[in-house]
Structure formats: structure tokens, C-alpha cells
Amino acid sequence: MKIRDNLINFLSKIPENVQLVAVSKTKPVEAVKEAYDAGQLVFGENKVQDLVEKVPKLPADIQWHFIGHMQTNKVKFIAPFVSLIHAVDSMKLLKEINKQATKNNRTINCLLQFHIAEESTKFGLSIQEATDILNSSEFMDMKNVHISGVMGMATYTNNTEQIRQEFAQLKTHFNTLKTNYFSSDDHFREISMGMSGDYKIAIEEGSTMIRIGTSIFGSRY
Ligand SMILES: *Cc1c(COP(=O)(O)O)cnc(C)c1O
């Protein structure tokens, strides 16, 4: 019952317009099922192998988000079912997603991941790299991907002012792209930012989608 309680408690704390992605990485299917039975339909995983193993064992109406760093050669394994890919950080990857989406006769929703943290280990685009992608004729020819918004991860730090500034920067990138490329596209509306440790700041800075693992499923070992 603990996961159910955590989930209900968590949902009561966040505004209705913020979508909760329950990050079930490293957790067993039983844990996912418990959250599902409590009403959660959107789950996030960060490893392709784990995701493809879980999917057939769980209800078909779950919406699976891929939140991790995506390797191009693995897109084909999740293309048939994935609901949203959070961390698109290169043209090469976007091209492959479009190719595999086309093969599966569907459109795949994607977020552009921005590098907002000070750590160099975190992946993501600069605003220049993102606009290069969006300006390219290759991108304009892609019929089977939909850019639904942006995603980012703040620095792992106790400095809340720094975290706030990084989230604010992501929001600024979102606004820039919205104005210049997606002003008439209602699907471009998501800002995926905020995890268990920093979701409150993320929501204050305009997050529409938070990715929460530990606060729902407990710590990972
Ligand atoms: C693991 C993970 C999360 C969830 O982190 P918690 O601190 O457990 O809430 C969110 N986003 C990404 C990209 C992750 O890899």
C-alpha cells in the first residue's frame, strides 16, 4: 500500500495542470502495477532493455515515456509503443526516431533536451544547436516526429537559487522556440523539468511535467 499512499499524497501536492511521470526505473513490475492500480497511467524508464521487458507484463493502456539518454541503435526497440521520448539531444537521434516511427506507421512525440546544468556530464543541446535542427530542411521533411516541448535536468546541488536559475533558463528556451517555431502549434507545450529533489522549484518556474521516482517508489539501491 505504500506506493499507493505515496502517489496519492504526491498528487495532492501538485497543481492539476502539471503532469506526473512516475519514474519506475529499477523497480519491479509489481511496483508499477501498484501505482497503476492507484490510477497512475504515465510511467518513465531510462533503459531500453528494462522497458521492453516490463511492457508485455503490464497493462496495455500505460503510457510509457523514455526519459534516459537514447542511443540511436536502440530506437527501433521502443518505436512501436513509446508515448514520449524526453531526451532528444541530436539531429542524428531525431532522424532515427522519424525513421522508426515511419516504419511503425505512427508519429512519435519528442522533447528537445537542453543542457542547463553546470555539470558537463549531463546531456543536452544548446539553444543554437536546437535552432540549427529546427531550421534544417531535413527536420522540415520529417513527417513522423512531433516536437512536444523541452526537457532539462538541473545541477545536483543544495543551491536552490542555482537550480531555480537553471529551470528559468529552460523556460526561456521554451519561450524562444515557441515564439519562433511553434507559435501556431498547440502540441508544443511541455516543459519537462523537476525530480523528487527539485520539483517544487521546477513547478514554480513553469514546469508542466515532473519526473518523480524516489518520492513514489522509494529509494533505488
Ligand atoms: C531517475 C530520473 C528521474 C527521477 O529521479 P528521482 O530523484 O528518483 O525522482 C527523473 N528524470 C530522469 C531523467 C531520471 O533519470
Side-chain angles (χ1 to χ4, degrees):
M1 290 314 276
K2 194 154 186 309
I3 292 171
R4 181 190 179 84
D5 293 346
N6 289 347
L7 184 69
I8 289 167
N9 179 39
F10 201 88
L11 285 170
S12 74
K13 291 190 293 196
I14 63 172
E16 249 175 60
N17 60 317
V18 175
Q19 194 179 22
L20 172 65
V21 180
V23 176
S24 52
K25 64 186 186 193
T26 78
K27 299 294 175 182
V29 290
E30 291 74 25
V32 180
K33 190 65 173 35
E34 191 176 335
Y36 174 85
D37 288 340
Q40 180 68 22
L41 287 177
V42 180
F43 291 88
E45 289 279 335
N46 73 338
K47 295 226 161 50
V48 169
Q49 178 79 26
D50 294 350
L51 178 53
V52 296
E53 278 173 21
K54 278 178 185 173
V55 169
K57 299 176 185 152
L58 284 157
D61 59 343
I62 287 181
Q63 295 161 40
W64 291 102
H65 288 195
F66 194 79
I67 63 167
H69 180 64
M70 181 95 240
Q71 286 171 280
T72 309
N73 61 352
K74 294 194 174 158
V75 174
K76 57 178 176 285
F77 300 117
I78 65 167
F81 63 85
V82 71
S83 156
L84 179 64
I85 297 178
H86 280 237
V88 173
D89 62 356
S90 73
M91 185 63 173
K92 184 169 163 242
L93 177 57
L94 196 58
K95 270 163 77 174
E96 179 64 14
I97 295 169
N98 184 62
K99 182 176 155 192
Q100 297 300 333
T102 308
K103 272 193 186 168
N104 285 278
N105 198 20
R106 60 189 299 252
T107 300
I108 296 181
N109 298 317
C110 298
L111 303 178
L112 295 177
Q113 180 180 17
F114 282 93
H115 183 95
I116 52 170
E118 86 187 353
E119 293 119 303
S120 57
T121 48
K122 289 197 171 123
F123 295 99
L125 302 161
S126 64
I127 189 71
Q128 182 63 51
E129 289 166 334
T131 55
D132 284 350
I133 290 174
L134 298 174
N135 285 332
S136 70
S137 57
E138 277 174 302
F139 173 70
M140 288 170 205
D141 288 341
M142 290 182 194
K143 302 274 185 286
N144 292 66
V145 288
H146 214 133
I147 307 294
S148 308
V150 302
M151 178 267 200
M153 289 170 85
T155 303
Y156 188 72
T157 172
N158 290 327
N159 184 342
T160 54
E161 229 6 81
Q162 181 178 354
I163 294 170
R164 186 178 297 284
Q165 274 170 27
E166 290 172 357
F167 286 149
Q169 195 190 359
L170 185 60
K171 168 83 185 190
T172 301
H173 292 334
F174 172 86
N175 288 342
T176 302
L177 298 186
K178 181 76 188 168
T179 305
N180 294 335
Y181 299 93
F182 300 101
S183 56
S184 57
D185 181 352
D186 287 343
H187 291 286
F188 186 88
R189 58 170 175 234
E190 304 295 353
I191 304 176
S192 168
M193 60 184 186
M195 309 178 17
S196 294
D198 57 20
Y199 75 91
K200 285 188 188 130
I201 303 172
I203 291 172
E204 284 165 9
E205 296 303 321
S207 175
T208 66
M209 203 176 252
I210 55 177
R211 310 176 309 269
I212 306 296
T214 311
S215 293
I216 295 169
F217 296 106
S219 59
R220 295 175 296 271
Y221 301 107

mmCIF file of all heavy atoms in Angstrom, residues 23 25 46 67-68 151 153 194-197 211-215 218 220, ligand 1:
data_model
loop_
_atom_site.group_PDB
_atom_site.id
_atom_site.type_symbol
_atom_site.label_atom_id
_atom_site.label_comp_id
_atom_site.label_asym_id
_atom_site.label_seq_id
_atom_site.Cartn_x
_atom_site.Cartn_y
_atom_site.Cartn_z
ATOM 1 N N VAL A 23 8.481 7.623 -12.327
ATOM 2 C CA VAL A 23 9.725 7.023 -12.825
ATOM 3 C C VAL A 23 9.973 5.687 -12.114
ATOM 4 O O VAL A 23 10.357 5.639 -10.945
ATOM 5 C CB VAL A 23 10.909 7.990 -12.638
ATOM 6 C CG1 VAL A 23 12.217 7.323 -13.075
ATOM 7 C CG2 VAL A 23 10.679 9.271 -13.432
ATOM 8 N N LYS A 25 12.067 3.241 -13.043
ATOM 9 C CA LYS A 25 13.350 2.604 -13.372
ATOM 10 C C LYS A 25 13.880 1.810 -12.175
ATOM 11 O O LYS A 25 13.786 2.275 -11.039
ATOM 12 C CB LYS A 25 14.370 3.653 -13.822
ATOM 13 C CG LYS A 25 14.758 4.653 -12.758
ATOM 14 C CD LYS A 25 15.663 5.737 -13.344
ATOM 15 C CE LYS A 25 16.171 6.658 -12.255
ATOM 16 N NZ LYS A 25 16.777 7.877 -12.776
ATOM 17 N N ASN A 46 14.412 4.626 -18.035
ATOM 18 C CA ASN A 46 15.598 5.211 -18.665
ATOM 19 C C ASN A 46 16.531 4.184 -19.309
ATOM 20 O O ASN A 46 17.600 4.544 -19.772
ATOM 21 C CB ASN A 46 16.369 6.084 -17.665
ATOM 22 C CG ASN A 46 17.100 5.260 -16.621
ATOM 23 O OD1 ASN A 46 16.733 4.114 -16.380
ATOM 24 N ND2 ASN A 46 18.117 5.831 -16.014
ATOM 25 N N ILE A 67 12.859 8.407 -20.613
ATOM 26 C CA ILE A 67 13.429 9.631 -20.027
ATOM 27 C C ILE A 67 14.948 9.656 -20.042
ATOM 28 O O ILE A 67 15.555 10.654 -19.685
ATOM 29 C CB ILE A 67 12.931 9.832 -18.569
ATOM 30 C CG1 ILE A 67 13.396 8.676 -17.667
ATOM 31 C CG2 ILE A 67 11.411 9.979 -18.522
ATOM 32 C CD1 ILE A 67 13.209 8.959 -16.183
ATOM 33 N N GLY A 68 15.570 8.556 -20.432
ATOM 34 C CA GLY A 68 17.026 8.473 -20.355
ATOM 35 C C GLY A 68 17.715 8.931 -21.629
ATOM 36 O O GLY A 68 17.080 9.361 -22.595
ATOM 37 N N MET A 151 12.967 19.585 -22.393
ATOM 38 C CA MET A 151 13.265 18.854 -21.162
ATOM 39 C C MET A 151 14.646 19.277 -20.672
ATOM 40 O O MET A 151 15.514 19.621 -21.476
ATOM 41 C CB MET A 151 13.254 17.357 -21.461
ATOM 42 C CG MET A 151 13.595 16.447 -20.303
ATOM 43 S SD MET A 151 15.344 16.013 -20.211
ATOM 44 C CE MET A 151 15.261 14.540 -19.210
ATOM 45 N N MET A 153 17.555 18.857 -17.007
ATOM 46 C CA MET A 153 17.885 18.434 -15.645
ATOM 47 C C MET A 153 18.797 19.476 -15.012
ATOM 48 O O MET A 153 19.819 19.848 -15.589
ATOM 49 C CB MET A 153 18.623 17.092 -15.662
ATOM 50 C CG MET A 153 17.721 15.931 -16.035
ATOM 51 S SD MET A 153 18.698 14.440 -16.327
ATOM 52 C CE MET A 153 18.842 13.849 -14.655
ATOM 53 N N GLY A 194 12.021 18.846 -13.250
ATOM 54 C CA GLY A 194 11.700 18.585 -11.860
ATOM 55 C C GLY A 194 11.726 17.108 -11.541
ATOM 56 O O GLY A 194 11.125 16.302 -12.250
ATOM 57 N N MET A 195 12.464 16.750 -10.486
ATOM 58 C CA MET A 195 12.558 15.383 -9.991
ATOM 59 C C MET A 195 12.192 15.428 -8.496
ATOM 60 O O MET A 195 11.780 16.471 -8.000
ATOM 61 C CB MET A 195 13.980 14.850 -10.210
ATOM 62 C CG MET A 195 14.407 15.053 -11.637
ATOM 63 S SD MET A 195 16.057 14.571 -12.225
ATOM 64 C CE MET A 195 16.710 13.463 -11.025
ATOM 65 N N SER A 196 12.358 14.308 -7.793
ATOM 66 C CA SER A 196 11.929 14.288 -6.382
ATOM 67 C C SER A 196 12.544 15.423 -5.566
ATOM 68 O O SER A 196 11.882 16.017 -4.722
ATOM 69 C CB SER A 196 12.280 12.951 -5.732
ATOM 70 O OG SER A 196 11.527 11.916 -6.322
ATOM 71 N N GLY A 197 13.813 15.725 -5.835
ATOM 72 C CA GLY A 197 14.509 16.713 -5.007
ATOM 73 C C GLY A 197 14.254 18.161 -5.373
ATOM 74 O O GLY A 197 14.511 19.056 -4.571
ATOM 75 N N ARG A 211 9.131 14.494 -13.350
ATOM 76 C CA ARG A 211 9.544 13.086 -13.436
ATOM 77 C C ARG A 211 9.957 12.627 -12.040
ATOM 78 O O ARG A 211 11.022 12.990 -11.554
ATOM 79 C CB ARG A 211 10.707 12.946 -14.424
ATOM 80 C CG ARG A 211 10.459 13.628 -15.775
ATOM 81 C CD ARG A 211 11.693 13.544 -16.667
ATOM 82 N NE ARG A 211 12.893 14.003 -15.989
ATOM 83 C CZ ARG A 211 13.340 15.252 -16.005
ATOM 84 N NH1 ARG A 211 12.726 16.181 -16.700
ATOM 85 N NH2 ARG A 211 14.432 15.587 -15.341
ATOM 86 N N ILE A 212 9.101 11.851 -11.394
ATOM 87 C CA ILE A 212 9.295 11.534 -9.983
ATOM 88 C C ILE A 212 9.475 10.036 -9.757
ATOM 89 O O ILE A 212 8.579 9.244 -10.076
ATOM 90 C CB ILE A 212 8.087 12.027 -9.150
ATOM 91 C CG1 ILE A 212 7.819 13.514 -9.382
ATOM 92 C CG2 ILE A 212 8.302 11.716 -7.663
ATOM 93 C CD1 ILE A 212 8.926 14.458 -8.930
ATOM 94 N N GLY A 213 10.622 9.666 -9.226
ATOM 95 C CA GLY A 213 10.876 8.269 -8.903
ATOM 96 C C GLY A 213 10.845 8.020 -7.411
ATOM 97 O O GLY A 213 9.911 7.451 -6.860
ATOM 98 N N THR A 214 11.898 8.479 -6.727
ATOM 99 C CA THR A 214 12.108 8.183 -5.310
ATOM 100 C C THR A 214 10.903 8.497 -4.430
ATOM 101 O O THR A 214 10.548 7.693 -3.561
ATOM 102 C CB THR A 214 13.339 8.994 -4.809
ATOM 103 O OG1 THR A 214 14.399 8.792 -5.739
ATOM 104 C CG2 THR A 214 13.772 8.523 -3.442
ATOM 105 N N SER A 215 10.266 9.618 -4.622
ATOM 106 C CA SER A 215 9.160 10.021 -3.738
ATOM 107 C C SER A 215 7.949 9.108 -3.877
ATOM 108 O O SER A 215 7.087 9.108 -3.002
ATOM 109 C CB SER A 215 8.732 11.450 -4.014
ATOM 110 O OG SER A 215 9.758 12.340 -3.648
ATOM 111 N N GLY A 218 10.201 4.908 -3.544
ATOM 112 C CA GLY A 218 11.261 4.718 -2.572
ATOM 113 C C GLY A 218 12.624 4.805 -3.232
ATOM 114 O O GLY A 218 12.722 4.919 -4.458
ATOM 115 N N ARG A 220 16.382 3.988 -4.735
ATOM 116 C CA ARG A 220 16.949 2.928 -5.570
ATOM 117 C C ARG A 220 18.314 2.582 -4.999
ATOM 118 O O ARG A 220 19.039 3.444 -4.565
ATOM 119 C CB ARG A 220 17.114 3.432 -7.021
ATOM 120 C CG ARG A 220 15.813 3.729 -7.693
ATOM 121 C CD ARG A 220 16.050 4.336 -9.076
ATOM 122 N NE ARG A 220 16.709 5.629 -9.021
ATOM 123 C CZ ARG A 220 16.072 6.797 -8.921
ATOM 124 N NH1 ARG A 220 14.765 6.835 -8.897
ATOM 125 N NH2 ARG A 220 16.752 7.925 -8.864
HETATM 126 C C1 LIG B 1 15.835 8.841 -12.297
HETATM 127 C C2 LIG B 1 15.346 10.021 -13.049
HETATM 128 C C3 LIG B 1 14.323 10.826 -12.530
HETATM 129 C C4 LIG B 1 13.669 10.596 -11.177
HETATM 130 O O1 LIG B 1 14.543 10.881 -10.130
HETATM 131 P P1 LIG B 1 14.082 10.877 -8.593
HETATM 132 O O2 LIG B 1 15.082 11.715 -7.926
HETATM 133 O O3 LIG B 1 14.114 9.448 -8.149
HETATM 134 O O4 LIG B 1 12.693 11.440 -8.530
HETATM 135 C C5 LIG B 1 13.900 11.900 -13.304
HETATM 136 N N1 LIG B 1 14.440 12.162 -14.509
HETATM 137 C C6 LIG B 1 15.418 11.413 -15.034
HETATM 138 C C7 LIG B 1 15.957 11.767 -16.366
HETATM 139 C C8 LIG B 1 15.910 10.325 -14.323
HETATM 140 O O5 LIG B 1 16.899 9.593 -14.858
#
